[in-house]
């Protein structure tokens, strides 16, 4: 798959000789960490490993506890590629591949609350707890008309802010909310969603050879079933693979 521009691609994606991949540990649909060994698994890990194999180099995982931290680290030269949700605000500094998975952003509420759809929450007086600069924070900031957004540093802190009674709901990725709250009978995850989040590979804007290569790489990984197999292997059978580009 490497083209005659291999030198330019390698220079864009692994300028230090190692592919440094930023991983957001907060998104359990895409990455899982063994609490005993610290070993990382999941579709993002598998994609980064395969990409490094294609480039003929080692991969190094740079971990963060929230997506906003990944984006904030861009100017610190801590990573070469990042697994992030596509967002117009982020696209001012990043070039995104086509999405490789689609995941829903929704709310968790108290089971006895009167809220049954995402639309019910966008009312005056309602407070939504979110992780600062997460994809769903950026989306809700642009789209909520009446509800108030209260931000926390991490998904765990956002959930705690909600559980403490400070908010009517907490926003998040459906799979993450199900993992953290789905078994609690006092809580309820809404059946609909306020956005479908497109997860993609990203590099710094201006890296033409690298970004072009990533586009074809992701499309191949979807078409060959690599992404579906990686999701299933990590137990994420309900996460949808993004459709291929026309």
């Amino acid at each position: 798959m490497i083209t005659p521009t291999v030198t330019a691609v390698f220079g864009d994606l692994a300028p230090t000789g190692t592919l440094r991949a930023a991983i957001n540990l907060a998104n359990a649909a895409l990455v899982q960490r063994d609490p005993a060994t610290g070993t990382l698994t999941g579709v993002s890990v598998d994609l980064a490993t395969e990409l490094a194999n294609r480039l003929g180099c080692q991969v190094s995982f740079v971990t963060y506890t929230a997506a906003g931290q990944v984006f904030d680290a861009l100017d610190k030269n801590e990573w070469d590629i990042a697994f992030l949700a596509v967002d117009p605000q982020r696209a001012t500094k990043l070039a995104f591949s086509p999405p490789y998975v689609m995941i829903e952003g929704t709310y968790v509420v108290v089971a006895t609350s009167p809220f049954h759809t995402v639309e019910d929450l966008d009312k005056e007086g309602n407070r939504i707890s979110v992780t600062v600069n997460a994809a769903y924070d950026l989306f809700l900031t642009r789209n909520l008309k009446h509800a108030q957004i209260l931000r926390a540093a991490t998904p765990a802190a956002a959930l705690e802010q909600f559980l403490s009674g400070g908010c009517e709901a907490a926003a998040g990725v459906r799979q993450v909310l199900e993992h953290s709250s789905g078994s609690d009978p006092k809580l309820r995850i809404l059946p609909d969603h306020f956005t479908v989040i497109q997860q993609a590979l990203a590099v710094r804007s201006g890296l033409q050879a690298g970004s072009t290569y990533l586009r074809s790489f992701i499309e191949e990984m979807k078409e060959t079933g690599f992404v579906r197999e990686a999701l299933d292997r990590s137990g994420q059978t309900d996460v949808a693979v993004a459709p291929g580009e026309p």
Side-chain angles (χ1 to χ4, degrees):
M1 183 177 167
I2 294 287
T3 69
T5 60
V6 58
T7 301
V9 171
F10 195 91
D12 281 355
L13 301 182
T16 67
T18 297
L19 179 67
R20 300 173 299 169
I23 298 289
N24 172 24
L25 296 175
N27 195 334
L30 306 183
V31 61
Q32 302 84 44
R33 188 173 204 167
D34 188 306
T37 65
T39 302
L40 297 175
T41 55
V43 62
S44 295
V45 174
D46 289 351
L47 284 170
T49 301
E50 176 64 18
L51 178 59
N53 289 339
R54 299 287 183 97
L55 296 174
C57 66
Q58 297 294 312
V59 62
S60 173
F61 296 108
V62 187
T63 59
Y64 301 87
T65 58
Q69 296 174 4
V70 178
F71 185 72
D72 290 343
L74 173 63
D75 295 329
K76 300 176 184 177
N77 192 31
E78 294 179 354
W79 51 262
D80 304 311
I81 64 167
F83 294 87
L84 285 169
V86 178
D87 184 85
Q89 183 173 324
R90 293 173 180 170
T92 60
K93 290 188 174 184
L94 296 173
F96 286 98
S97 75
Y100 58 96
V101 299
M102 314 284 276
I103 52 181
E104 295 181 353
T106 189
Y107 297 123
V108 58
V109 298
V110 175
T112 56
S113 77
F115 310 115
H116 296 281
T117 70
V118 296
E119 187 177 350
D120 293 340
L121 269 301
D122 194 11
K123 303 290 191 300
E124 293 292 342
N126 288 339
R127 298 156 298 175
I128 310 296
S129 183
V130 305
T131 306
V132 63
N133 288 332
Y136 46 86
D137 174 23
L138 301 178
F139 177 86
L140 292 173
T141 297
R142 291 192 297 268
N143 290 277
L144 282 180
K145 294 179 173 59
H146 305 288
Q148 179 185 6
I149 296 174
L150 298 182
R151 296 175 175 84
T154 65
L159 183 62
E160 180 55 36
Q161 181 171 245
F162 157 67
L163 293 173
S164 68
C167 298
E168 281 63 46
V173 171
R174 180 175 298 281
Q175 287 80 6
V176 175
L177 293 178
E178 289 175 346
H179 177 76
S180 62
S181 309
S183 61
D184 190 335
K186 296 180 181 179
L187 302 176
R188 175 165 45 86
I189 298 170
L190 298 189
D192 58 347
H193 57 269
F194 54 79
T195 187
V196 175
I197 301 168
Q198 298 181 329
Q199 291 286 339
L201 252 177
V203 292
R204 184 189 306 274
S205 295
L207 301 181
Q208 187 62 45
S211 61
T212 298
Y213 181 78
L214 290 184
R215 295 188 68 84
S216 59
F217 171 75
I218 287 297
E219 286 301 309
E220 180 187 346
M221 293 299 96
K222 291 186 294 185
E223 182 179 349
T224 60
F226 183 100
V227 173
R228 180 73 269 161
E229 292 170 5
L231 287 167
D232 293 347
R233 191 164 51 246
S234 60
Q236 306 304 310
T237 56
D238 59 340
V239 176
V241 178
E245 288 193 323

